[in-house]
Amino acid sequence: MLDHVELVFENMKPMMKKLKKKNYKSNMEEFLDRYGHYFREMTLLTEDADDKEAAAEEIARTFADHVEQKFMSPKKGRIDGVVQLDLNFFMIYYIFPAILKTEHEDAKLIADHIRDEWSRRFKDSDIQYTDYDSIYAAFREKIFGII
């Protein structure tokens, strides 16, 4: 299930650098082209499940496990704070909007469980989410008009 889902973070740094309205749109399109199958797989897993809540919990655990394995510092035994901050922003700008863009009836359920697992699992990671259109609309030239 969700084999190598951690790959969705492989271009995190360049996708978050100089984040502007135009870049965000093209970044998201490229992101969905490359990794959209993971988010569709998530919805298929809940769709086919007898217990959607349990399926969403398992998706969230699996997703967090893969992230933790990829980004955990072997010396510190945790994810470095700066890396965690980058991961949190990437979740907000790309992962959650990608899940919601599937427009599947279980997308919000999946996003809720991933958000909750993320908050439990990672330090200083009590994050929320919104959809792509809301984030996109918040841009002027740069996010929230900040220059």
Side-chain angles (χ1 to χ4, degrees):
M1 171 173 63
L2 300 175
D3 292 333
H4 305 292
V5 73
E6 71 279 2
L7 293 175
V8 300
F9 292 93
E10 68 184 351
N11 292 320
M12 177 174 62
K13 290 243 185 240
M15 289 175 70
M16 295 301 294
K17 191 175 183 177
K18 297 181 182 176
L19 195 57
K20 298 180 180 178
K21 190 171 194 165
K22 181 177 155 186
N23 295 7
Y24 182 58
K25 182 177 182 178
S26 63
N27 286 352
M28 181 58 86
E29 289 170 358
E30 184 178 321
F31 181 73
L32 290 172
D33 285 346
R34 182 175 281 175
Y35 305 110
H37 63 94
Y38 286 113
F39 308 109
R40 289 187 297 276
E41 181 182 352
M42 290 176 185
T43 62
L44 286 173
L45 289 166
T46 58
E47 185 175 296
D48 294 340
D50 292 332
D51 184 345
K52 291 180 183 290
E53 289 285 336
E57 286 176 22
E58 181 61 25
I59 290 166
R61 270 193 306 277
T62 300
F63 183 83
D65 286 347
H66 283 273
V67 171
E68 195 170 50
Q69 289 167 9
K70 178 172 178 64
F71 292 101
M72 184 178 288
S73 166
K75 289 181 181 179
K76 295 180 181 179
R78 61 179 173 79
I79 297 173
D80 181 71
V82 173
V83 173
Q84 187 64 61
L85 185 63
D86 289 343
L87 290 169
N88 291 347
F89 278 115
F90 196 77
M91 292 291 292
I92 293 165
Y93 284 106
Y94 292 99
I95 303 299
F96 290 121
I99 293 167
L100 297 175
K101 269 184 126 2
T102 65
E103 297 181 350
H104 191 277
E105 66 183 37
D106 297 332
K108 188 171 178 342
L109 174 71
I110 294 165
D112 286 347
H113 281 279
I114 289 175
R115 178 204 54 213
D116 295 346
E117 180 68 21
W118 195 264
S119 294
R120 275 191 299 275
R121 178 86 62 110
F122 303 113
K123 184 180 177 187
D124 298 325
S125 296
D126 188 17
I127 59 176
Q128 296 299 319
Y129 66 86
T130 191
D131 60 79
Y132 169 82
D133 293 328
S134 296
I135 293 172
Y136 186 76
F139 279 99
R140 287 198 175 88
E141 175 57 22
K142 295 184 180 180
I143 189 67
F144 304 121
I146 299 172
I147 296 176

